[in-house]
Amino acid sequence: MSLQEILLKIIEKNYPILLSDSENDWEPATLLSTLSAPMLRRSAYMQSGLYIAEVNEGGYLGRVLYKVKKK
């Protein structure tokens, strides 16, 4: 699944969350509209309620891209 697909799913389901990187808290729709196309195409995995992490070429979880925060 791509980061874009995850963000679209969050937006469609209207989850009341913010996504936090090391510097800011983001609305999912804001990330979807501002991230670059290569970033949105990254393979990713969402652990509900905890984080979104990238998935490397070997299929393993890589670094955490965003932590999930409740609004």
Side-chain angles (χ1 to χ4, degrees):
M1 182 174 269
S2 71
L3 179 57
Q4 181 176 14
E5 292 169 321
I6 291 170
L7 293 173
L8 286 169
K9 182 178 178 182
I10 292 169
I11 294 166
E12 287 172 4
K13 302 261 184 190
N14 201 26
Y15 293 135
I17 63 171
L18 295 172
L19 298 173
S20 179
D21 61 15
S22 61
E23 299 175 12
N24 296 306
D25 293 339
W26 303 91
E27 293 280 344
T30 302
L31 282 175
L32 186 61
S33 66
T34 59
L35 290 175
S36 67
M39 181 67 173
L40 290 171
R41 284 193 301 266
R42 278 191 182 179
S43 291
Y45 172 77
M46 180 172 177
Q47 178 63 47
S48 295
L50 297 176
Y51 59 81
I52 297 174
E54 67 183 347
V55 176
N56 66 25
E57 292 176 10
Y60 296 100
L61 292 181
R63 70 183 176 101
V64 172
L65 300 171
Y66 300 100
K67 293 179 183 176
V68 174
K69 293 175 121 180
K70 292 190 178 198
K71 284 187 179 179

